Each structure stands twice: as C-alpha cells, then as structure tokens.
C-alpha cells in the first residue's frame, strides 16, 4: 500500500556559504524561530533567525 505524505512543505531559504563558496539550504525549525542547515560541502552548521527582516535575507554568510 502506498500512502502519500500529507502536503507538509518545509519552508527553507537558499543561502550562500562563504566557507566553501557554495549554495545551500536552511530549513525552518519546528518552532519557526530559526532556519537551520549545513554547508553541503564541509557540513558546517548554519543558523539564521526568522523575523527582524531575517526572512528576506536570502544570503546567509557563515562567519
Ligand atoms: Zn563549507
């Protein structure tokens, strides 16, 4: 039996990882306060705050 997953879209933002000069994604956390993710190359953790204009911030730069 095949069951389709409910349309549960995870919100994410595309980000630029300075560390490896590459793009990646940060996914919204359950509480909706942050976007979290990892650099696809070096797996460095990144986090961006939602709100305070943060949601429009497309390019997060890892420090
Ligand atoms: Zn990296």
């Amino acid at each position: 039996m095949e069951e389709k997953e409910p349309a549960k879209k995870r919100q994410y933002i595309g980000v630029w990882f300075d560390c490896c000069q590459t793009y990646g994604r940060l996914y919204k956390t359950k509480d909706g306060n942050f976007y979290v993710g990892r650099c696809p190359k070096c797996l460095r953790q990144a986090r961006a705050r939602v709100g305070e204009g943060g949601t429009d911030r497309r390019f997060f730069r890892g420090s």
Side-chain angles (χ1 to χ4, degrees):
M1 290 254 286
E2 194 177 325
E3 254 185 76
K4 284 188 179 176
E5 284 186 36
K8 195 177 175 186
K9 281 186 187 173
R10 288 194 75 183
Q11 281 188 289
Y12 66 84
I13 53 172
V15 296
W16 174 258
F17 286 91
D18 243 2
C19 54
C20 298
Q21 301 291 296
T22 189
Y23 285 101
R25 286 178 181 180
L26 299 186
Y27 288 90
K28 207 169 194 177
T29 55
K30 276 184 184 176
D31 60 17
N33 291 326
F34 293 95
Y35 287 100
V36 294
R38 283 171 186 272
C39 170
K41 289 192 180 178
C42 71
L43 303 183
R44 167 205 288 266
Q45 265 200 323
R47 191 165 78 160
R49 201 171 192 168
V50 176
E52 293 176 14
T55 46
D56 289 332
R57 207 167 137 214
R58 288 299 161 96
F59 301 102
F60 176 81
R61 308 191 81 130
S63 55

